[in-house]
Amino acid sequence: MSDIPFSPVLLDRLQVVLETMPAVAAMQIRITGYDHDALRIQAPLAANVNDKGNAFGGSLASVMTLAGWALVTLRLQLAGFDAEVYVADSNIRYRAPVYEDLLATASVAPEQDWDAFVTTFARRGRARIGVQTRLAGGGAELSGRFVALAKG
């Protein structure tokens, strides 16, 4: 395994992938940063509002899921792998209506280990890892498992 130094260029490449998906582009989702194993994305409320004037539940789910996907994809890229990453399953808790721009932060679940995930992927060409994503302000949270598969 090689360790590729982190570069904002990697986030730019992930952003391009997000923008190729019409639904994601319509939501105006933007990756806003990565540090210390946490990845942040945001989307404006105006592009994700429902009939009640708060954030649409489907948008909350999408933003949190995409934050997890981007985190796992980035971590594999930093380890020198180009993989297909999918959400395997997730559980979302909606705690309160969200009346502001959506800002989601994804990180590995506390009981998970990035090194074990990457080692398993390197050995088997597939691996799963638990991720948690929270919205700023506490409006919702997602816990999910993401699976990575070797391309080809």
Side-chain angles (χ1 to χ4, degrees):
M1 287 180 290
S2 65
D3 289 322
I4 297 170
F6 174 73
S7 165
V9 171
L10 294 172
L11 296 182
D12 293 342
R13 289 181 189 156
L14 283 173
Q15 183 65 49
V16 169
V17 172
L18 291 175
E19 291 170 359
T20 64
M21 295 180 260
V24 177
M27 293 172 63
Q28 301 175 24
I29 291 174
R30 296 282 175 258
I31 298 172
T32 60
Y34 169 78
D35 60 69
H36 303 289
D37 299 329
L39 186 134
R40 292 173 306 284
I41 67 174
Q42 75 177 65
L45 177 62
N48 296 283
V49 70
N50 65 18
D51 61 319
K52 295 160 197 65
N54 56 39
F56 175 62
S59 293
L60 296 175
S62 295
V63 166
M64 292 187 298
T65 301
L66 288 165
W69 169 86
L71 175 65
V72 175
T73 300
L74 176 63
R75 286 301 302 242
L76 285 166
Q77 289 174 349
L78 290 171
F81 297 106
D82 188 20
E84 297 290 354
V85 175
Y86 301 91
V87 60
D89 57 62
S90 65
N91 182 41
I92 299 173
R93 264 190 103 160
Y94 298 97
R95 298 188 172 278
V98 176
Y99 290 95
E100 58 196 20
D101 289 350
L102 290 60
L103 175 60
T105 302
S107 57
V108 67
E111 69 281 0
Q112 300 291 294
D113 182 308
W114 279 120
D115 291 335
F117 168 73
V118 172
T119 299
T120 299
F121 184 82
R123 190 172 59 245
R124 297 183 183 163
R126 65 183 308 142
R128 291 179 187 245
I129 192 158
V131 172
Q132 60 186 20
T133 306
R134 291 191 169 87
L135 280 183
E141 60 188 38
L142 174 143
S143 60
R145 285 185 310 151
F146 288 78
V147 63
L149 305 172
K151 288 186 175 181

